[in-house]
Every structure is written in structure tokens, then in C-alpha cells.
Amino acid sequence: MVEVEKIREEARRLLQEGQVRGVIGYVRGPQGVWAVPAMIRNPEDVDRLVWNPTCVHNLVLFVVEEKKEQARQKEPDKRPLAVVVKGCDSRAINVLLQEKFIEREEVILLGVSCENSGVVDKKKLLNLVPSQKIEEIVYGNNGHIVAVIDGERRVFPPEEVLADRCLECQANFPVVYDHFFGEKIKKEAINTSPGVDKIEKMRLEERRRFWEEELSRCLRCYACRSVCPMCYCTECVVDPISFAVEPTTTAEEKAKKIKWIEKSPLLSENFVYHLVRAIHLAGRCVDCGECERVCPEDIPIRLLNKKLEREAWRLFNYVAGMDSQAPSLFSTFKETDPEDFIR
Amino acid sequence: MRKKIGVFVCHCGINIAGTVDVKKVAQELSEFPGVSYTVDYVYMCSDPGQNLIIQKIKEEKLDGVVVACCSPNLHETTFRRAAQSAGLNPYECEIANIREQCSWVHKDKDKATEKAIKITKGIVEKLRWNEPLQPIKVPVTKRALIIGGGIAGIQTALDLANSDIEVVLVEKNPSIGGHMIQLSETFPTLDCSQCILTPKMVEVSKHPKIKLYTYSEVQEVTGYVGNFQAKILKKPRYVDPDKCTLCDECTQVCPVVVPNEFDLGLTGRKAIYIPFPQAIPATYTLDIEACPGVLPIACGKCWDVCEPKAIDFDMKPEIVEEKVGAIVVATGYDLYDKKNMAEYGYGKYPDVLDGLQFERLLSASGPTRGKILRPSDHKEPKEIVFIQCVGSRDPELHNKYCSKICCMYTAKHAKLYKHHVHDGQAYVFYIDIRAGGKGYEEFVNRTMEEEGVLYLRGKVSKVFEENGKLVVWGVDTLAGQDIEIRADMVVLAMAIRPSSGAEKLAKILKAAQDTDGFFAEAHPKLRPVESLTAGVFLAGVAQAPKDIPDTVAQAGGAAIKVVSILSQPELLHSPLVAQVNEHLCTGCSMCVDVCPFSALSIVEGKAKVNEVLCEGCGTCAATCLRSAIEVKNLTHLQVHDMLTASLGGLK
Ligand SMILES: Cc1cc2nc3c(=O)[nH]c(=O)nc-3n(C[C@H](O)[C@H](O)[C@H](O)COP(=O)(O)OP(=O)(O)OC[C@H]3O[C@@H](n4cnc5c(N)ncnc54)[C@H](O)[C@@H]3O)c2cc1C
Ligand code: SF4
Ligand code: SF4
């Protein structure tokens, strides 16, 4: 079991010794039981840190945000950041390292194991119990989730309340870390993506209809992109609005900006957006599931990611974020790569 | 301000006009935004056609020209020159390929015309954003590196050195000469191979312009056309050629015997040896793999007897660096591995030989002093079977291609056999006879008619030993019957394979190989001696199986190609290279990893292009997730606008 006191101890030591400029972790949120991300800068605040099945967020996003913020500062604090990472989050760190977005020295990784379990899917749990009454959500035995309701413990089996990605996860402890909390218990996912299986079985026409239905709801709020730690580009190719127009940008340069897709959430444009997003994440997406979690329209975004994850494995034996030294999927070419798609 | 663009539509006789309504193309384009002049003409590439372009650029004050015609591979240069002579920057001229990509591949005139219009509109859109560019100037190192010292490498080296160009010749074996030095007599004239090759080898060794590295290998090549740096590994010979007097005392005392490569294992040699008497350089080599130890304690007998003290056990591998402007690959071939031919007993029965072993038997300096004797019992074979196409022309199991020289050398072998063994009978199994070449057909016919060699059309299924005879089972497809021959010797015309190190070398040089592993030429007809890598040329069997006359001709071709580069004061490199938008680049280095020409690096967190190395292939542009890198005059915007125009939309 992960002992949260141990995480706090380490965080406190790092802050007191001035080794880090901050600790990114989870704290109890304003809505009671549901944890939220927080940046702890004072040793006195470390007791706020929590670790429980509601720690769903991928905190690596904030490492990315901090990095961007630092680039804007004149004299940035060069000390590293400590960050709490689960298995999936740690793989996101590896991708950032592979892509040289960050250096290893810039982070101190407080790795936590999800052990036999994972994090809860709020929607699933709320379907079973109304939220107001939950006082606490903690790990039970054998991956079970325990919710304390009206002072009473209710035990839920993982299949009922864990996030889908945790049920499908095969790497439930960090692959890169400086301090490790909990136990490395390898668990076998039953199926890495039943959702993809289902879609692959559909006929082409059916598939198209499925996606048309799903994507027609997309508001293009870009929440999925904003929450993704891999979407760190200065300017996004699919985004015709946020062209970084500098004071020095000339009229000609502005005229040369390409509008690959229209701003309006038309179905055709939504398709392009989601396909480009997915392709740009091939071999990079670590399936932290954040995109799907934040989507206000419940679009099954992970399905696209999972399909590409499957293809990357099937074609190239590649799993995102397993090795910070390996070249990224996009930039590797082997003569033995399959070419059967060329006809 | 929008450019004023002229569109010139070519009929190419009926090549284009037969399938595409060229008048309609010109008409439609005249209404396209930015196009201020259009015309169609029967042959744009003709002198009057070019003059029309020049004249209209001037009269109509055009800022850019689109010629809708054949592939840019053919006339891009022609039209860019024409545009330049009218005062335009040549990069303001673009080709719309409406022949190879349209008229030649379609039948329906309406649809083809529609497509031609779209293609041309796309190119107009591209041209709209083209920047005027200047070629990049690069200095030239006036030296050439030749890899491989067979007849191909020797001839190229001599041709270049005699054109006053310094040559570095690298050969992996202890002596130059390649396979030709192992041959007995050569078809079609049957002159003695050594007699015609050794004078050239001596010339190489004496030529002041040739620097020879034998027992050496190219390890690394960096740089680009005009300016390569090569790292060459000199393996230690443990013998100082300057001190060695060729007294041969060492081989007398050396106790170790290993198979002799020069005789393809038909004889043995010592651990310290000279490959053959006329070896260049004329010196001994100590084979460290075979020698029990360089420590004199282990053996050191040779060191004891060497009076001039030429043996030096302390020699170390050495790496030398050479700067050159061009490279010629002349690494030749190896025979197909005998492991693959178990059904013919090759490697199992001593009297089943390959063609090169038979050459050694025929050679006056060979193991039998030119007598044809069976390796097993030194008896003269009275019945001999030659099998052609062993491992060639067999796409299912072996190599799909024809090894080209085997028909000829088998005819030679059969003929020479008959010259030696008058009362012997020779049989040749063949699929068909390919004797294209001056005097070749006659040569084969004489072998059949004058020498009484029996040619059997068909394949051999099996060779096995029985009572001291080699039983050959085959079919004669012409007579339609099974054949069994009880032979004394079997000679296999093994397929020609690229030499063993070809793949490694191709990687070092970033030169492509074809599907069979031979070095790929840039164009099968028009650029047969150029590789796909600028400044790297090909000669001899390294490029494809061929005989000595063809090899020598190609060597001369490679030499003149090298001269045409090295004779220039500076080289001009295409300015169509990648450029980085530093604002968008995050320094992820994916482009660095994918660039096939190592033209990219990360400098201060951003990608940086070495413009001289960049070939403008665009692999980086396709890889970058952030569209932060693109090729000049083929920017993302241009691709986008071309697509829009070709899809029928207008911005
Ligand atoms: C049995 C037989 C009989 C033949 N008879 C005739 C004939 O009668 N008439 C005729 O015209 N042709 C004949 N040929 C063909 C002839 O052998 C070739 O045309 C000729 O040898 C080709 O010369 P080359 O220099 O291209 O290759 P090679 O002779 O193979 O020379 C290549 C050289 O490069 C060296 N090398 C290889 N790799 C490297 C490396 N990585 N680094 C440095 N050095 C390297 C090799 O050691 C070798 O010295 C015959 C061929 C065979 C197999
Ligand atoms: S791939 Fe793109 S972002 Fe990455 S280093 Fe190259 S140009 Fe920069
Ligand atoms: S275009 Fe890009 S990938 Fe191609 S050679 Fe140039 S830098 Fe390398």
C-alpha cells in the first residue's frame, strides 16, 4: 500500500532543503472527496497532499505548463520540480524526455504504484451512489475501492468503478521515478481495448455512422487538447485561431498562414480535427485518459488513441513512453518495417 | 502584389494533344486568378517553343512561368534556362506534368482534360508563392576515393589518375586484382587473364597519382559531394613491405596451414603468406586469425628467420582520414553461398566445384599447373557436367535475376576442358543460352560444334556420389526424357551475388541497393553509373553482374563522371532545401532522426539545416508534428494551395 505520509515526508524534505521549487501533487478538492492537482511551494503545506483513487489527473501537464511559463520569465528559478506520477503519467514524462521537451534533471519524480487497482471513474461511481453522501474514497484489498458513505464502508469491485483505462492498463506502476511509493504488482489487463475490438468488427458504413454520431457533438472547445501533456506545441496545426502572431509578424506572413480546417464545428472539420489530433499522438499517447475525462460531450476520444496504440504495437512493436532513450515512433525507420499497406 | 504568371501548354505532338484538349487547358487557365497570359504550342521544348517563352516573358512582363508539358525530370532544366535567359529567376519557372501523369495514363479525353487543368492550376498556385533562389556554392576537393581493387576499381583509378586527378584506392584484400586475377583465360578471345591484368596492377602501384590502401576498409564517410571525409581502417599486416625482400623464408617455417582463398580452398597456404606471386603490393601478410599468436613465445618462427626483420608483431590497426570530392564503388561480387545448393552436393563432394574453382584448375599458375584433375584423386575427369543458372533465375528459391556471365564462361569452361582432355565428354545443362555480345554467339556455337560439347536443355534435380562417380539426374526438356549421367566432375555456374560487405558499405555511403542487393543506379538507362547519392558512382559488378568488357566500359564511364564533378571550380547545390521556422520548432529532434542525409542537427534547442547536405527530400517536413520545417518552394502553404486548386476549389 502507498503510504501517503511517506510521500509527504519526501516532499517536505525536498522543499525544506530547497532542492525543488515546488511539488506538484494531489490535494483534497473543494468538492470534498475528489482530489485536485496542486502546486505546493511551502513545506508547511505538504500535509495537504493526498493519495487515493480519486487522483485521476495527469500532473505532467503542469510540468509542461511550468516549462512554458519559465520560458517567458527573465530569471526563472532553475531548480527542479517534484511531481507525483502514476504509471501512465511516468510514461508521459518519458515521451517528453524522448522529444527533448524537458531534461531529466528538471524533474524529481515521486512515483506511485496503482498496485492492483487504478483510479475511479467519477461517473461510474456516481451512478452507483449519489455524490453528496461520499465522505471518503480509499483503496481496499485486492484492487477494491472503498467508499465511506454516512460513516459506512461500501466496497466496490474494480470492474464496477475503475476508469476504463485502468481496467485496460498493463503498466500500472511508474517506469521512471526517483522515489517509489507502494509495491510493483504487475497486473494483467484482460483486454487492452474492448472498445476497439467492437469498432474493428463493425462494417465500414457502420463505423462511419458511429463516428459521425459521436463527432457531430464535438464543440471544438479543445478541452481534450488543453489537458493533454503531449499537446505542448507553440502553435497547433489544426488551430486557425491561436496562430501566434508576434508583433514582428508581417502582413505577408499572416497571409501565408494556412487554414487547414475551419473554425466552425462542422462535422467535416470535426473529423479532420480529431483525426489529426489522434495521428499526432500515435506512439506518443500514454493513455492517461484525460482527454476523454474532460470532454463535456462524452465523445469516446480514447478509442482513436487506443486504435493507434494497437497499430503501433502490431506494426512496430512500439509502446509509447517505455524508454526515454529510444527514438520516437515517428522518427524511426527500419528496413524491416511492414509495407503491406503499399499496394 | 500577385505575380503575373504565363502558362505555356505543350501538345508534345499528339503525346499530350491526343488525349488532352490543350486549347481548352489554355483557355481555362487564362481565366484563373494570377494568370495573365496563356498559349498552347506543338513542341514547347523546340527552339521556336523556347523562344516563344522567352519572348512572352519579356513582352508580357511575366513574373513566373508554368510550362504544362512532360515530366520535370526531362525538361525542367530546359525551361528554367529559357526563363533565365529572359531575365527571370530560374526558380520562377515550374513544370505541370500533364503527360506522364495525365495524357499517357488516361483514355477519356474529357476527364483527362479536366485533370490536366487541375494539375496546371495546382502548379500556378504553387508558383504564386515561389521565392527566387540562388544555387548554393560549394568548394570541391579534387581527389577521388575508389572502393574495391578489382578490374573495375583498377580501371577507374587509372583513368582518373591519367586525367591528373589524385586517387585513393581502397582494397579489403591483401592484394588488388579482384576476381579477374583468379581467372584462367577470358572469353571471347581466350587471352590469359593474368597477362592482361598484371600490367594494369603494376601501373596502379607505380602511379604517382594513386595512393593505394590494401588490406583496408572504409569505415565511415561523412560530408557531401565535392567534400567527403572518409575514415579508412588499415588492418595490420605485421610485415613491413619496405623491408620485406620476398625471400619466402617465412612461409617455409610457418607451421600453420589454412585453406588458400586465392585457390578457393583447392590448396592450402601458411598463416604468413603472399596471395599470389604477382600480388600488388608485393609483400607478405600475416593472417592473425590463423597465427597461433603474435607473441614470439607462442611461435615466432617467421620472425626468427626473417633476415631483414620485416616482421613486426606490434603493428596495430590504423585509421587514416582522406578528404575526397567523389567516390566510386567497385566492390564487385561473391559467388552465391554454397550452403544454398545442398541438392548439388556442393561443399560435400570434393569433385563438385564452382566456376571459380574450375578457373583455378584451368590456370597455368593454379594448383594443378593448368591440368584438369579431380581434387579427390588427382585423376583426369573423362565425363564432366556443367550446370548453368545455379541459384539464378529462380525467384521461388534463390535469386530471381540472370547472372549474365555464366552462359559465356560455361561455354569457355567446356571449350577449355576439351582443349585439355581431348577424349573427354562435356555436358552442359542450361535453361537457354544468352550470348549477347560481340563475338559471343559465335563463341558458344564453336564450343558446341567444333568441340562436340553436348548441350542439354533442362534442369538438374540432384547430384550424388555412387561408386566413385557423381551421378547427375536431370531432364532434357527438348527430348522430353530423364537423363542420368555418371560424371567424374561437376561444375556449377553459381549465381553472382553482391560482395559480402555491400550492405554495410551502402549504409556507410547512404547509397541505395536494389532489391537484389546490388548498388542501385540513379536511372537504369540514362544514369547507369551514378548512384542515387550525389557524388557516389558505380563501376563493375557492384552495380549488376557483367563481364570484363562491360566492367571496363563502365569504369571509364564512372571516371568521366567523377572528372565532370572534380573539374569544376565549385559545385552548385540546389537551393531547394529545408528551412526551419524557429518559432514553431520545439527541438524534439524527430527531423534529425529521420533525415536520410544527416543534414539536420539541434543547435540551441532548434533544428538547423546543413544546406549543402540537404537534398530537399522533404522527409523532415512530413515528420515534424509542428510544421516547423519545410522545403523551400514546396512549403506547407504551397502544398495546401496546390491541393485546394487540384480539388477544384479556389481560395
Ligand atoms: C567463374 C567465372 C569466370 C569468368 N570468366 C570471365 C571471362 O572469361 N571473361 C569476362 O569478361 N568475365 C569473366 N568473368 C566475370 C569477371 O570476373 C567480372 O566481370 C569482373 O571480375 C568484375 O570486376 P569487378 O572489379 O567489378 O569485381 P571483382 O573482381 O569482384 O573485384 C572487386 C574487388 O573489390 C574488393 N572489395 C569488395 N568489397 C570491398 C570493400 N567493402 N572494401 C574494399 N574492397 C572491397 C574485392 O576484394 C575485390 O578485389 C567470370 C566470372 C566468373 C565467376
Ligand atoms: S521535428 Fe519539427 S519541432 Fe522537432 S526539431 Fe525538427 S523542426 Fe523542430
Ligand atoms: S529535406 Fe529535410 S529530411 Fe530531406 S535532406 Fe533536407 S533536411 Fe534532410
Side-chain angles (χ1 to χ4, degrees):
Chain A
M1 275 284 191
V2 180
E3 288 171 56
V4 70
E5 204 39 61
K6 291 241 167 83
I7 305 181
R8 292 177 184 155
E9 251 170 55
E10 190 53 43
R12 188 176 298 114
R13 186 183 68 83
L14 289 168
L15 284 167
Q16 275 170 351
E17 290 176 6
Q19 282 195 37
V20 294
R21 64 177 195 276
V23 177
I24 305 174
Y26 302 94
V27 297
R28 214 176 147 89
Q31 295 176 35
V33 291
W34 306 102
V36 294
M39 166 79 85
I40 309 276
R41 299 207 191 257
N42 292 320
E44 305 87 76
D45 291 337
V46 296
D47 287 331
R48 291 175 56 211
L49 287 174
V50 297
W51 170 251
N52 63 44
T54 72
C55 297
V56 293
H57 321 78
N58 183 345
L59 300 181
V60 175
L61 173 68
F62 303 99
V63 174
V64 170
E65 295 298 325
E66 270 278 312
K67 175 89 186 179
K68 289 185 171 174
E69 180 55 36
Q70 282 212 322
R72 287 189 282 269
Q73 287 167 2
K74 276 223 178 67
E75 277 169 32
D77 185 343
K78 288 269 163 112
R79 285 175 302 166
L81 273 175
V83 51
V84 176
V85 289
K86 304 185 287 293
C88 47
D89 312 340
S90 79
R91 288 186 289 127
I93 290 281
N94 266 347
V95 176
L96 293 181
L97 289 172
Q98 274 177 301
E99 297 179 2
K100 301 180 181 57
F101 188 77
I102 55 166
E103 302 281 339
R104 185 64 181 84
E105 304 77 61
E106 291 178 68
V107 281
I108 291 182
L109 302 173
L110 309 176
V112 284
S113 174
C114 293
E115 294 179 341
N116 255 330
S117 194
V119 294
V120 291
D121 181 328
K122 195 170 171 180
K123 288 169 196 154
K124 285 188 192 172
L125 187 62
L126 292 190
N127 269 339
L128 300 170
V129 282
S131 84
Q132 316 82 291
K133 299 199 179 150
I134 309 175
E135 287 149 26
E136 212 173 345
I137 301 172
V138 292
Y139 285 109
N141 291 331
N142 296 330
H144 285 57
I145 301 293
V146 179
V148 184
I149 300 159
D150 286 338
E152 223 176 281
R153 289 165 62 89
R154 264 191 72 181
V155 182
F156 297 95
E159 313 82 79
E160 279 180 22
V161 290
L162 283 197
D164 286 346
R165 61 161 153 132
C166 298
L167 295 173
E168 297 166 15
C169 174
Q170 295 199 325
N172 51 329
F173 50 82
V175 287
V176 53
Y177 53 80
D178 296 293
H179 302 279
F180 185 75
F181 305 95
E183 247 184 286
K184 291 186 186 177
I185 303 173
K186 182 90 189 131
K187 85 170 189 194
E188 288 301 323
I190 309 149
N191 181 331
T192 56
S193 186
V196 176
D197 287 347
K198 223 167 90 191
I199 301 226
E200 282 180 348
K201 284 198 194 93
M202 291 183 186
R203 277 174 296 113
L204 222 54
E205 227 357 83
E206 224 180 317
R207 246 189 256 186
R208 167 175 274 278
R209 245 179 290 124
F210 172 84
W211 283 113
E212 275 174 0
E213 240 171 79
E214 295 292 344
L215 296 181
S216 62
R217 296 200 309 278
C218 175
L219 309 168
R220 297 268 293 289
C221 65
Y222 296 132
C224 49
R225 190 181 65 188
S226 309
V227 81
C228 177
M230 295 309 137
C231 282
Y232 57 73
C233 301
T234 331
E235 203 176 284
C236 178
V237 285
V238 301
D239 192 350
I241 329 162
S242 74
F243 284 142
V245 178
E246 308 271 290
T248 50
T249 315
T250 63
E252 201 201 331
E253 277 165 352
K254 279 184 205 157
K256 282 191 185 174
K257 295 283 183 190
I258 315 164
K259 228 185 200 177
W260 288 108
I261 61 176
E262 295 293 333
K263 205 165 117 186
S264 48
L266 295 172
L267 183 59
S268 64
E269 309 304 292
N270 291 355
F271 257 96
V272 178
Y273 166 66
H274 280 283
L275 292 179
V276 172
R277 194 200 63 84
I279 288 284
H280 277 204
L281 285 164
R284 304 174 70 231
C285 170
V286 295
D287 195 21
C288 67
E290 288 289 84
C291 45
E292 191 166 298
R293 182 179 66 84
V294 299
C295 178
E297 288 292 336
D298 287 336
I299 297 170
I301 305 174
R302 275 186 61 241
L303 281 181
L304 291 173
N305 301 343
K306 289 303 263 190
K307 170 69 178 167
L308 287 167
E309 182 185 294
R310 181 172 286 188
E311 293 299 311
W313 172 251
R314 192 177 66 82
L315 294 168
F316 308 108
N317 268 338
Y318 190 91
V319 179
M322 294 309 279
D323 180 0
S324 64
Q325 300 303 309
S328 57
L329 177 66
F330 277 125
S331 58
T332 33
F333 164 74
K334 291 195 214 89
E335 261 128 57
T336 49
D337 283 349
E339 302 187 327
D340 45 3
F341 55 90
I342 304 175
R343 274 187 278 242
Chain B
M1 212 192 61
R2 252 197 137 109
K3 282 179 189 168
K4 287 176 76 180
I5 294 173
V7 176
F8 298 80
V9 186
C10 182
H11 301 192
C12 193
I14 56 160
N15 269 309
I16 295 171
T19 326
V20 168
D21 183 345
V22 284
K23 293 253 183 282
K24 187 165 178 211
V25 176
Q27 166 59 30
E28 283 253 346
L29 262 293
S30 69
E31 288 158 23
F32 195 67
V35 176
S36 60
Y37 178 81
T38 58
V39 68
D40 61 280
Y41 186 74
V42 58
Y43 284 113
M44 274 302 165
C45 59
S46 67
D47 241 25
Q50 290 187 48
N51 285 336
L52 177 67
I53 296 175
I54 295 169
Q55 180 198 343
K56 290 299 167 190
I57 290 174
K58 290 182 182 155
E59 275 176 27
E60 304 285 328
K61 303 209 165 30
L62 299 177
D63 304 307
V65 171
V66 171
V67 189
C69 57
C70 52
S71 155
N73 281 334
L74 297 166
H75 277 304
E76 187 178 72
T77 321
T78 315
F79 295 124
R80 286 197 167 157
R81 280 213 188 104
Q84 193 169 21
S85 70
L88 268 190
N89 181 287
Y91 295 93
E92 299 286 14
C93 169
E94 288 286 351
I95 307 294
N97 180 353
I98 60 167
R99 193 178 75 177
E100 284 82 345
Q101 289 178 2
C102 187
S103 69
W104 274 2
V105 288
H106 297 298
K107 287 201 182 87
D108 184 322
K109 193 158 183 175
D110 288 342
K111 285 190 178 159
T113 306
E114 200 183 316
K115 180 171 167 185
I117 291 168
K118 285 180 175 172
I119 292 175
T120 314
K121 283 183 179 171
I123 297 295
V124 171
E125 285 291 275
K126 172 188 192 298
L127 179 60
R128 211 151 85 72
W129 298 112
N130 265 17
E131 290 173 63
L133 298 171
Q134 298 303 329
I136 301 160
K137 289 184 179 159
V138 194
V140 191
T141 310
K142 296 204 183 306
R143 303 175 85 218
L145 168 67
I146 297 170
I147 307 171
I151 178 61
I154 290 173
Q155 190 62 48
T156 316
L158 289 175
D159 287 351
L160 282 172
N162 291 333
S163 315
D164 215 28
I165 282 173
E166 241 179 82
V167 172
V168 178
L169 177 58
V170 177
E171 166 58 52
K172 71 174 172 191
N173 284 340
S175 170
I176 57 170
H179 286 106
M180 186 173 163
I181 198 70
Q182 292 172 301
L183 304 182
S184 54
E185 290 159 44
T186 55
F187 63 77
T189 44
L190 295 187
D191 24 19
C192 147
S193 192
Q194 296 199 340
C195 314
I196 56 176
L197 183 57
T198 45
K200 287 186 186 287
M201 290 166 59
V202 173
E203 197 183 342
V204 165
S205 73
K206 298 275 186 285
H207 206 297
K209 287 269 172 188
I210 300 178
K211 194 163 172 183
L212 183 59
Y213 292 107
T214 48
Y215 215 41
S216 300
E217 266 167 63
V218 175
Q219 273 207 318
E220 184 189 306
V221 171
T222 51
Y224 41 87
V225 55
N227 298 278
F228 293 108
Q229 288 96 40
K231 281 206 178 108
I232 298 160
L233 170 74
K234 290 172 69 180
K235 292 174 276 187
R237 249 179 225 281
Y238 304 104
V239 176
D240 181 344
D242 295 333
K243 288 190 188 151
C244 173
T245 57
L246 299 171
C247 67
D248 203 39
E249 294 285 341
C250 50
T251 66
Q252 312 291 330
V253 296
C254 178
V256 183
V257 181
V258 290
N260 183 351
E261 302 85 351
F262 189 70
D263 285 334
L264 298 118
L266 291 176
T267 59
R269 64 155 169 85
K270 296 298 181 64
I272 188 162
Y273 69 110
I274 183 162
F276 51 93
Q278 311 93 316
I280 299 286
T283 188
Y284 285 69
T285 301
L286 190 151
D287 173 0
I288 200 65
E289 308 274 310
C291 174
V294 281
L295 292 175
I297 305 129
C299 171
K301 290 201 170 70
C302 54
W303 191 87
D304 290 340
V305 297
C306 181
E307 230 164 83
K309 291 282 161 260
I311 296 170
D312 175 4
F313 288 122
D314 294 330
M315 267 189 201
K316 295 268 170 324
E318 202 186 322
I319 291 181
V320 287
E321 274 203 51
E322 293 285 355
K323 285 188 182 356
V324 295
I327 298 174
V328 179
V329 181
T331 48
Y333 65 95
D334 283 332
L335 291 185
Y336 194 42
D337 200 329
K338 52 178 117 190
K339 279 203 299 283
N340 300 313
M341 283 307 173
E343 66 266 40
Y344 292 164
Y346 183 32
K348 185 162 156 209
Y349 309 128
D351 300 329
V352 177
L353 305 178
D354 65 34
L356 281 175
Q357 286 175 320
F358 196 66
E359 290 284 341
R360 294 310 300 146
L361 287 190
L362 291 171
S363 169
S365 65
T368 52
R369 301 274 154 234
K371 288 209 182 67
I372 300 177
L373 300 175
R374 305 200 331 159
S376 60
D377 54 11
H378 294 261
K379 287 202 181 115
E380 205 172 56
K382 295 294 179 197
E383 305 250 345
I384 187 163
V385 171
F386 295 92
I387 308 176
Q388 292 195 177
C389 299
V390 182
S392 304
R393 304 174 66 189
D394 187 346
E396 265 96 62
L397 295 175
H398 304 288
N399 303 294
K400 63 177 187 298
Y401 55 86
C402 161
S403 292
K404 197 171 173 192
I405 52 179
C406 325
C407 285
M408 285 309 295
Y409 77 60
T410 301
K412 172 183 80 175
H413 286 171
K415 183 191 284 280
L416 292 175
Y417 167 76
K418 286 294 288 183
H419 290 184
H420 285 84
V421 188
H422 305 295
D423 58 344
Q425 181 59 53
Y427 305 87
V428 176
F429 280 94
Y430 70 103
I431 303 180
D432 50 39
I433 300 293
R434 301 184 165 180
K438 199 163 158 175
Y440 286 17
E441 176 73 9
E442 298 89 318
F443 183 87
V444 176
N445 283 341
R446 280 200 306 274
T447 306
M448 291 181 187
E449 288 152 17
E450 292 169 16
E451 315 290 356
V453 172
L454 211 59
Y455 268 71
L456 300 164
R457 179 167 182 171
K459 280 206 162 189
V460 170
S461 57
K462 200 175 171 180
V463 176
F464 59 96
E465 212 172 47
E466 203 178 83
N467 303 331
K469 290 275 186 185
L470 292 165
V471 185
V472 180
W473 279 357
V475 276
D476 180 346
T477 50
L478 292 182
Q481 62 187 33
D482 289 342
I483 295 187
E484 182 186 294
I485 298 170
R486 302 181 76 79
D488 301 308
M489 185 179 268
V490 172
V491 180
L492 308 179
M494 295 299 283
I496 301 287
R497 293 287 309 148
S499 70
S500 55
E503 195 179 337
K504 191 171 145 210
L505 186 64
K507 290 223 170 73
I508 292 173
L509 297 173
K510 298 182 195 76
Q513 290 170 281
D514 60 27
T515 48
D516 300 317
F518 293 100
F519 283 85
E521 65 278 1
H523 188 283
K525 288 160 233 165
L526 299 178
R527 298 174 69 196
V529 302
E530 286 111 315
S531 78
L532 286 156
T533 306
V536 177
F537 301 94
L538 313 172
V541 181
Q543 180 254 340
K546 54 175 75 70
D547 56 21
I548 297 164
D550 283 359
T551 297
V552 171
Q554 197 182 18
I560 193 66
K561 290 288 170 193
V562 171
V563 171
S564 70
I565 288 186
L566 301 190
S567 59
Q568 294 173 48
E570 52 193 9
L571 294 179
L572 296 181
H573 183 71
S574 162
L576 300 172
V577 293
Q579 57 186 349
V580 178
N581 180 338
E582 293 203 351
H583 171 68
L584 298 182
C585 173
T586 64
C588 73
S589 87
M590 285 186 195
C591 55
V592 179
D593 295 339
V594 297
C595 176
F597 302 98
S598 311
L600 292 164
S601 54
I602 300 287
V603 178
E604 288 173 13
K606 304 284 173 189
K608 191 170 185 315
V609 183
N610 178 332
E611 297 199 330
V612 181
L613 285 180
C614 175
E615 289 286 328
C617 68
T619 309
C620 52
T623 305
C624 180
L625 295 177
R626 308 164 178 96
S627 304
I629 189 163
E630 51 190 5
V631 176
K632 283 185 189 165
N633 285 357
L634 202 65
T635 60
H636 297 300
L637 177 69
Q638 286 176 298
V639 173
H640 174 268
D641 287 2
M642 283 165 80
L643 284 174
T644 313
S646 347
L647 293 172
L650 250 190
K651 288 213 319 168

